[in-house]
Amino acid sequence: MNDSFILYTSYYALIEGLTDEQLGQLTRAIFLYARDGKSIELEPVVRMAFAFIKDNIERNQDKYQAKCEKNRQIALERERKKREAREKADNTNVHERSRTCENNTNVHERSPYDNDNEYDNDVSKETDILEPSKEASMQSFSEKNVCAASEPQKSSEKKKSKKGEIDYAAIKDYWNEQHDKTNSAMRRLTLMTDNRKEAIRGRLKDCKGDISKIYLAIDKAMASSYLNAGHSWASYDWVMTRKYFPKVLEGNYDNTEPAAAKPQDPSATARPSIGELYEQAKHQQPAPQQSQDDKFRWVIQQNLEDLKKNPNNKPAKDSLTRYYERGVLQRLGIDWKPEK
């Protein structure tokens, strides 16, 4: 099905009562379902936990596919606009070149040698050798006009290229220098790719063109013990992302003294796990009397209790919503409706 999936910390309430063997069965079932879409036979307790996780995997996959399709449509629209802009620019350039050729032709139509007099016919052979011919003079005159017309354009292009120029090589060298000075665990930079240049331009735009913010972010990243703790995601590209660049600048990853953790009484928060509660409910009545509706009622009651403790418990809400859509809540006489 897909090459990755999400595990939420709220799942711990489902698995904290499982044995190591049952937890291994659950892990294998999750990976097989996420990779191949296949379900395997499981013990009742493990199957109950797997059902919750399976539903979340399917829902996340649907969201991911919808997001990919949306991004694909955006990319197609962007390419279409670029193509139209290029075609429009090509048409404009052809029109400008045509006008330039017409102007040069008008300049050259009148030659300075059209009115020759008799004195020109009597010049000596030596003078003819020293003076340029009519054709050579016209060619020189044409070249001077073309060069004179193109010089203002070249000058304006040169000024445009210098305006707002960014020294990407200096940024790369500064990163590597600070890396060597601090023995950073983050990798050195080898290439300043187009994507990295685009990221720098984006961060400069966010900083109103203040290049010093780029260097300040590099200093903070190199000095951060957290970012240099060997995380695989910590890198130059991560620092320059639009999401985390302002957080690095604001000091979210600066070194700070951790607050002393207050001891907590385990008995104050201890409660039976879902696996333990299920085992208790299973042994309260003979096995033949355990109908499917009884299992549904037990699971629904657990979800309702979780919602009382935490109204924002998303897995519990999603589970109850599915039971409501299937008509299980109505059949069991449980009064609960999903929020609109």
Side-chain angles (χ1 to χ4, degrees):
M1 293 177 62
N2 46 350
D3 57 1
S4 64
F5 58 90
I6 301 175
L7 290 178
Y8 298 98
T9 54
S10 57
Y11 292 161
Y12 188 75
L14 300 172
I15 66 173
E16 63 180 344
L18 300 179
T19 64
D20 291 346
E21 182 180 357
Q22 291 172 336
L23 187 59
Q25 294 178 6
L26 176 61
T27 303
R28 183 184 300 276
I30 292 172
F31 274 92
L32 288 176
Y33 182 77
R35 188 189 66 180
D36 305 326
K38 297 180 180 179
S39 299
I40 61 176
E41 292 295 329
L42 297 170
E43 298 179 10
V45 178
V46 181
R47 186 168 60 250
M48 189 65 63
F50 173 72
F52 294 127
I53 300 175
K54 173 186 173 183
D55 291 340
N56 284 334
I57 291 176
E58 293 175 350
R59 185 169 51 258
N60 290 336
Q61 179 65 12
D62 293 340
K63 292 181 180 178
Y64 175 75
Q65 294 296 337
K67 183 177 180 181
C68 289
E69 179 61 22
K70 181 179 179 181
N71 290 339
R72 190 179 73 85
Q73 294 298 331
I74 292 174
L76 291 175
E77 181 66 16
R78 183 168 58 249
E79 288 300 323
R80 183 185 65 79
K81 292 181 179 179
K82 288 183 179 179
R83 184 170 60 255
E84 292 177 353
R86 285 196 300 267
E87 293 175 355
K88 184 178 179 180
D90 292 341
N91 294 334
T92 303
N93 293 335
V94 170
H95 181 66
E96 291 179 352
R97 286 196 295 268
S98 177
R99 290 181 57 187
T100 304
C101 293
E102 291 177 359
N103 294 336
N104 290 337
T105 303
N106 293 333
V107 171
H108 300 152
E109 283 179 354
R110 183 175 180 84
S111 171
Y113 295 94
D114 287 344
N115 296 326
D116 293 337
N117 52 29
E118 295 180 355
Y119 177 78
D120 293 331
N121 295 328
D122 296 333
V123 292
S124 62
K125 294 181 179 181
E126 291 81 0
T127 306
D128 290 337
I129 296 174
L130 294 175
E131 291 182 353
S133 65
K134 294 181 181 180
E135 291 79 7
S137 299
M138 291 176 64
Q139 182 178 1
S140 175
F141 181 73
S142 174
E143 291 175 353
K144 289 180 180 178
N145 281 312
V146 173
C147 293
S150 61
E151 282 179 0
Q153 183 179 359
K154 291 181 179 179
S155 177
S156 62
E157 291 177 356
K158 188 175 182 181
K159 291 180 181 179
K160 184 177 179 180
S161 63
K162 287 185 177 180
K163 184 179 180 181
E165 185 176 357
I166 303 172
D167 192 349
Y168 299 106
I171 296 175
K172 178 175 77 73
D173 293 340
Y174 187 77
W175 174 275
N176 290 335
E177 290 175 3
Q178 296 302 109
H179 174 277
D180 296 340
K181 288 181 181 178
T182 60
N183 293 325
S184 173
M186 293 182 283
R187 294 179 292 276
R188 288 171 54 89
L189 283 182
T190 304
L191 298 175
M192 182 57 71
T193 61
D194 292 339
N195 290 338
R196 288 171 174 171
K197 292 178 181 179
E198 184 177 356
I200 291 175
R201 291 192 294 269
R203 303 298 76 76
L204 280 177
K205 183 178 180 181
D206 297 338
C207 298
K208 309 299 182 182
D210 189 357
I211 192 67
S212 64
K213 299 295 185 183
I214 301 292
Y215 292 97
L216 177 59
I218 293 175
D219 291 337
K220 284 181 170 289
M222 291 299 177
S224 172
S225 299
Y226 178 73
L227 295 182
N228 288 278
H231 303 295
S232 59
W233 47 262
S235 63
Y236 169 86
D237 296 322
W238 181 90
V239 173
M240 290 299 166
T241 56
R242 187 173 187 178
K243 180 178 181 180
Y244 296 105
F245 181 83
K247 295 183 179 181
V248 174
L249 277 180
E250 293 167 0
N252 289 20
Y253 305 100
D254 290 353
N255 299 330
T256 56
E257 290 294 331
K262 296 181 178 180
Q264 188 176 10
D265 184 8
S267 61
T269 59
R271 64 183 182 86
S273 66
I274 290 181
E276 293 174 350
L277 292 174
Y278 179 80
E279 290 295 329
Q280 294 174 6
K282 184 173 67 174
H283 293 294
Q284 287 177 358
Q285 53 185 336
Q289 299 179 7
Q290 295 181 16
S291 65
Q292 188 71 13
D293 283 351
D294 291 336
K295 295 180 181 180
F296 286 156
R297 187 186 302 276
W298 178 82
V299 174
I300 292 169
Q301 293 297 334
Q302 296 302 313
N303 288 328
L304 291 174
E305 291 179 7
D306 290 340
L307 279 181
K308 289 181 181 179
K309 297 175 183 177
N310 180 13
N312 296 323
N313 191 320
K314 191 173 183 300
K317 285 184 178 180
D318 294 341
S319 179
L320 290 172
T321 300
R322 287 191 296 274
Y323 283 121
Y324 177 84
E325 293 173 350
R326 297 172 184 173
V328 177
L329 297 180
Q330 297 86 327
R331 187 173 69 250
L332 298 179
I334 299 176
D335 185 15
W336 186 90
K337 293 182 179 179
E339 300 176 354
K340 296 183 179 179

